[in-house]
Amino acid sequence: MRPTGTKRWLLLLAVGIITIGGIWLAVRSGASSTPTKAANQTATPDFGSLPKNYLALKPSPTKEFVDAKAYILVDGANGNVLLENDPDVPVSIGSTTKMVTALVANQLFPADKILTVPPKAAAINGSTIGLKAGEQISVKSLLQILLIPSGNDAAYTLAEVYSGEDGNYQKFVDAMNTYAATHHLQNTHYLDPAGLSDDGKSTAFDLAQIGRLVMNDPILAAIVTTPSASVTSADGSIAYPLKNTDQLLQIGPYFNKNVIGIKTGFTPAAGYCLVAAEKFHDHLLIAVVLGVPGNGETASAKEINKLFVWADQNVTIKSY
């Protein structure tokens, strides 16, 4: 028996409400890559791309002291926050800047494209591998130099070649800032491609999301997990041995067999910074520490390992 009159009107109203609700849920599901800021909350699952389970806190998680200006630990699958301290305070980030340098360069250049090293890029200060002015080298090799030993000369080569003028890297930096805006990294702003300027800033939360983007890029994910490697100029005449600055990847007191990247950073103003990814059962944890005091890259490795130990004790896997 079909409804009539008032009953039919109420039925149509109910169907309309359900339809609107379904559209809203579909939009939410489509935006499931946008992370949730509250700890122990899950984003709307997208079963086409996310695992069937998620990371959550055990009851009554313990506290952890990490000696850093800011830190964060997130579920690498959906970006949900598990532990944090001052995650939205913009600070100097040193060479963790190079994660976005790599992401942007990987979009702008084919990996096998050969670039010529500009004179000013070869002469840049700070952490370098010793690229020679006029040398020809592939984009993939430049990405390895950029991310493994943190070569400023690789960063400036990529930026200046794209910008089209020796010594001018602004067009590339504009692309970096556009990339950050496109990915809703509202507290991130870059002034150079290597992180030499301490006025270029980001936050622990934004860097965790950038770390997720790096680990979702097959080329970059393979590079950042490499403890050591060797690359050559395009003609094979010059070889460069590369050693990763991330002490979590090097055999020693802070080696972590489950860590698979990502990027270190340092300036005197920024302190020691580190963005790291760890395999956690069938999931990925992304951790960030910024402004760690101390001497040497072991300082940030020591503090970020505290976050991974904390996760072992306080994080569990739940099903949707």
Side-chain angles (χ1 to χ4, degrees), residues 21-51:
I23 294 171
W24 182 84
L25 285 172
V27 171
R28 288 275 295 181
S29 181
S32 63
S33 61
T34 302
T36 303
K37 289 300 302 297
N40 202 24
Q41 293 184 1
T42 60
T44 304
D46 176 358
F47 292 107
S49 60
L50 296 181

Side-chain angles (χ1 to χ4, degrees), residues 245-296:
T245 54
D246 187 349
Q247 297 303 302
L248 300 175
L249 296 172
Q250 302 296 342
I251 299 300
Y254 301 105
F255 172 72
N256 185 327
K257 66 180 181 179
N258 294 319
V259 165
I260 51 174
I262 305 173
K263 189 69 191 75
T264 60
F266 171 78
T267 69
Y272 289 93
C273 306
L274 181 57
V275 182
E278 183 192 60
K279 292 182 291 184
F280 185 81
H281 304 288
D282 63 342
H283 274 260
L284 188 69
L285 285 171
I286 305 289
V288 180
V289 291
L290 300 175
V292 176
N295 184 22

Side-chain angles (χ1 to χ4, degrees), residues 201-224:
K201 303 256 173 94
S202 188
T203 66
F205 179 81
D206 282 5
L207 288 180
Q209 308 316 315
I210 295 168
R212 293 175 63 216
L213 291 166
V214 170
M215 298 311 294
N216 278 323
D217 184 303
I219 291 176
L220 302 184
I223 293 173
V224 299

Side-chain angles (χ1 to χ4, degrees), residues 35 37 69-74 81 84-94 96-97 99-100 180 183-190 199-211 273-275 286-291:
K37 289 300 302 297
K69 288 181 181 177
Y71 60 82
I72 197 168
L73 181 71
V74 306
V81 177
E84 62 182 20
N85 181 64
D86 287 338
D88 298 313
V89 177
V91 295
S92 302
I93 59 169
T96 61
T97 295
M99 293 190 297
V100 165
H183 288 86
H184 311 291
L185 305 171
Q186 300 176 355
N187 294 310
T188 296
H189 184 72
Y190 299 108
D199 290 328
K201 303 256 173 94
S202 188
T203 66
F205 179 81
D206 282 5
L207 288 180
Q209 308 316 315
I210 295 168
C273 306
L274 181 57
V275 182
I286 305 289
V288 180
V289 291
L290 300 175

